[in-house]
Each structure stands twice: as structure tokens, then as C-alpha cells.
Amino acid sequence: SHSITLSQQHPAPHDSVPRVPPSPAATGSDEEDDSDSSTKPIRSEKKKNPVSLFQTGGNPPKEKKTKKKAPPKAAESEEDTPQQNSNKKGKGKKSKKAKEERPPSPVIEVDNLEEFVLRPAPQGVTVKCRVTRDKKGMDRGLYPTYYLHLDNDKKVFLLAGRKRKKSKTSNYLISIDPTDLSRGGENFIGKLRSNLMGTKFTVFDNGANPDRANADWSNVRQELSAVVYETNVLGFKGPRKMTVIIPGMNSDNERVPIRPRNDNDGLLMRWQNKNMDNVIELHNKAPVWNDETQSYVLNFHGRVTHASVKNFQIVHGSDPDYIVMQFGRVADDAFTMDYNYPLCAVQAFAIALSSFDGKLACE
């Protein structure tokens, strides 16, 4: 099985962590499982088109739009199988096969980096990425830099993020240049800010602070997402509970801009006040307790290989089979991060960064 441990109450037997098929002999069942996982979104689509789950403004998508989705979908199912089988980046005997089958992944064209990282994932395509954490250097131990790349042959760089040093609360800058993580630079694309407790986070784009608004507010920053972590009975020791709040999509499948004029109007306040116009609430998928390994497990279809409390999948309550985003560890300082419509790279990366934050880190 591809289930992966999230957090263990006490050390589990050695083999219970990654559960990666050891040899090509296991591939038969492996592929079956994968093809099933890649058809899942399609099957649930008949039940309920995932796109409609995220629509808040305007009319349902017109017939024309739905047809556009067909080509990427085919590409996705081809692309899905090899990538999911090539656990650990295709080491071992499977890598050759994965290499041959992998050409479909350039479906994702990063033409203009700044546009790409703010654009929702194409419908029916899973954007597969890799997050690496760099702790080297003077204060990187405390302020590591995180890099996001596409998880394909070209390893295209997408984003870098780092915590600001002089900030009262956790504050991460996100940049489209791996070497320039300054707030004033033209590569600044967004930021993640936490509350004092370190349990609630808001993700902004690179617009202006409301104090510096122009006459029609068009330059004011948008809130792209908010993340709320709930402690459970065990503190943060058991499975974490996450709520992710994102702007809804309009009838053209574009993100509804949410530009709060003050702190009482942001995504978190709207969610707390149950004012959910143009706002979508998502949650992490609850893991299942496994008696055999004495741990909580989730099925990541071969994309996650190490146990970690940071591993999570984000879903919409009305369709838990449609994974909006998943994140999980594949090495000490490497993680996979996959996201689907309606998320963009900046939203997904910022949600992933929030899971690294100090107050939550209990590993």
C-alpha cells in the first residue's frame, strides 16, 4: 500500500514508514493503484465537477469552458503514472521506465514566471513540485531558505521563501528570484504573515499596504489564502488540523480579488464571522489510525516517502477525493508539493511554508 505515516505515538516497526514497493515485481499492483488514483478526479467529476466546488461569483462555467479541459486531462493521466511510480525521483530499476514515459510533463509551460506562480493550476492537471530547505550558512539554521522547483526533468525554479529576521511575528518573504529575497526588490511576489500565537497565517500578494492605496484601491495587496492550525487534545503531537481559506473563483475561473481595506476585513475575519461570500473553506484530510503500525496514515500515491507530522492533503468537504494540494517529506530537507486547480504556486508554497513554522514544529 502507498499509505504513509503522519505521526507516530511511539516508534513503529522499521518497515512501516515509507512502504515503497521494493522491486519492479511489485509494480503491477503499484500501477493499478496509481491508475486508479489518476482516474479518481475524473470519476468524481461526473458526480460533481470539481470546478463548481470553488465557484462563488457569477454563473456556472459555460459549456465551452468545460471542453477545453479535455487535453490536459489525458496528459495528466499519462504523466501521473510514471511520476507516481518513480518514488524518490526514480532511483533504482524503475527510473529508466519513468524517464521514457515522462515527456508529457512539459505540458506545464512556465512562460512568464511572475504570471505563472499567481495563475491557478490548469483544470485537470496536477502541478508537481519539490520544496528544498537550505539550512547552510550563518543564520540559516534559524532562518532557512526554502526553494520551490517543478518536479520534472528540467527542475524549473519557481519560488524562494525566507523568514524575515526583525519581524515581531513570523513573516516570510516569497520571491521569484532565488538570490533576491528583499522586501523592496522587484522580485518580491508575496508574503506569509502569522499571528502572535503562530497558529494563524495570511498570504498576501505583492500589492501595496492599504495605507498606500490609490484612489480606486486597484494597487492594494490581495489576500490569497489564510491557514488556521488547531491544536488538538495532544497539543501538536497527534495529527494536526488545518483549515485553509481561499478566495472563490468567478464564472471565468479567475480568482475573485480580495483586497481588505483594514485588518477587520481579511480572509481570517470573514471566516471567523462566517461571512463566506466569495470565500472557500478547505481542510486537511483526516488521516486514518493504523493498528498494525500504531500510527496515523494517509495515501499519497507514492509521492511521499517519509513519516512526518508535516505531511498533509488539503481537500474540499464536498469532494474529499479531489486533492487540492498535498505536501510531504521525501528526505531530511526535501518535500514534494503537488497542487491542483484552483490553487496557484504562491498559495500552495505559502501554505507549505506555514507548516514549517516554529510554534508548530514539534518534531
Side-chain angles (χ1 to χ4, degrees):
S1 109
H2 280 302
S3 295
I4 195 89
T5 305
L6 295 200
S7 59
Q8 285 157 217
Q9 307 306 84
H10 30 77
H14 181 65
D15 69 315
S16 72
V17 180
R19 294 278 195 65
V20 180
S23 71
T27 352
S29 60
D30 196 43
E31 241 148 51
E32 228 164 64
D33 186 355
D34 279 343
S35 60
D36 176 49
S37 77
S38 65
T39 51
K40 240 186 209 150
I42 302 169
R43 221 183 307 140
S44 63
E45 208 153 318
K46 289 198 181 91
K47 179 179 76 186
K48 185 162 192 176
N49 178 348
V51 177
S52 63
L53 298 173
F54 305 106
Q55 267 202 321
T56 55
N59 320 314
K62 298 177 191 70
E63 210 33 56
K64 278 197 305 245
K65 294 232 165 63
T66 343
K67 290 210 177 86
K68 261 195 219 151
K69 287 185 341 205
K73 190 153 291 158
E76 182 216 15
S77 47
E78 278 166 55
E79 174 209 359
D80 243 26
T81 330
Q83 264 186 326
Q84 286 177 341
N85 287 349
S86 62
N87 291 311
K88 299 202 176 168
K89 284 174 113 175
K91 285 199 185 96
K93 295 185 186 163
K94 278 188 223 157
S95 62
K96 207 167 98 218
K97 174 172 168 259
K99 276 277 182 295
E100 287 158 21
E101 285 185 59
R102 246 172 140 180
S105 79
V107 165
I108 295 158
E109 284 299 321
V110 182
D111 30 15
N112 170 332
L113 186 54
E114 189 170 350
E115 275 175 25
F116 177 83
V117 295
L118 288 166
R119 196 166 53 220
Q123 291 169 27
V125 174
T126 300
V127 183
K128 297 185 174 173
C129 306
R130 194 172 177 88
V131 174
T132 43
R133 174 170 54 185
D134 176 6
K135 292 179 176 168
K136 297 184 223 32
M138 271 278 286
D139 52 19
R140 290 273 178 87
L142 287 171
Y143 300 97
T145 306
Y146 298 91
Y147 299 102
L148 182 71
H149 290 82
L150 279 181
D151 195 8
N152 61 8
D153 296 337
K154 290 196 185 112
K155 306 274 175 287
V156 180
F157 167 80
L158 297 177
L159 294 165
R162 193 166 94 205
K163 200 179 207 173
R164 291 180 80 172
K165 296 186 184 104
K166 296 191 174 68
S167 199
K168 287 197 277 301
T169 62
S170 294
N171 203 325
Y172 293 79
L173 291 184
I174 299 172
S175 167
I176 49 173
D177 181 328
T179 58
D180 171 21
L181 281 136
S182 62
R183 173 73 177 83
E186 55 194 41
N187 297 307
F188 170 70
I189 191 95
K191 72 171 188 179
L192 168 75
R193 188 179 73 191
S194 88
N195 64 349
L196 279 167
M197 290 279 297
T199 52
K200 293 178 181 165
F201 295 81
T202 304
V203 184
F204 301 94
D205 71 2
N206 56 1
N209 188 305
D211 307 342
R212 292 189 285 281
N214 57 15
D216 63 354
W217 285 81
S218 59
N219 68 332
V220 171
R221 62 189 182 197
Q222 292 187 39
E223 287 195 8
L224 298 178
S225 175
V227 190
V228 179
Y229 289 88
E230 269 173 66
T231 48
N232 50 33
V233 199
L234 303 162
F236 280 116
K237 289 275 187 285
R240 296 178 175 179
K241 279 191 162 173
M242 294 167 72
T243 300
V244 173
I245 304 128
I246 56 171
M249 306 300 276
N250 66 17
S251 54
D252 290 330
N253 298 322
E254 288 158 353
R255 197 180 303 115
V256 176
I258 298 223
R259 290 195 172 88
R261 303 197 167 206
N262 54 52
D263 287 343
N264 298 322
D265 181 33
L267 287 169
L268 284 169
M269 288 306 286
R270 293 183 187 202
W271 174 75
Q272 278 163 345
N273 298 331
K274 306 212 170 7
N275 165 18
M276 299 299 282
D277 290 345
N278 291 326
V279 177
I280 303 283
E281 179 181 324
L282 307 168
H283 293 276
N284 63 319
K285 197 168 190 173
V288 183
W289 177 257
N290 179 327
D291 268 341
E292 192 186 326
T293 60
Q294 290 291 294
S295 58
Y296 287 94
V297 294
L298 260 180
N299 187 351
F300 287 89
H301 302 291
R303 289 285 290 159
V304 174
T305 53
H306 285 48
S308 168
V309 296
K310 295 187 179 74
N311 299 346
F312 63 81
Q313 288 178 330
I314 300 294
V315 293
H316 190 293
S318 306
D319 186 355
D321 289 339
Y322 182 77
I323 308 289
V324 179
M325 169 185 177
Q326 72 175 24
F327 178 76
R329 175 170 274 162
V330 290
D332 282 350
D333 287 308
F335 303 80
T336 50
M337 183 195 94
D338 301 344
Y339 68 95
N340 280 301
Y341 180 88
L343 288 193
C344 68
V346 171
Q347 285 170 313
F349 184 50
I351 293 165
L353 286 178
S354 75
S355 78
F356 287 111
D357 200 55
K359 297 244 171 51
L360 300 169
C362 60
E363 289 185 85

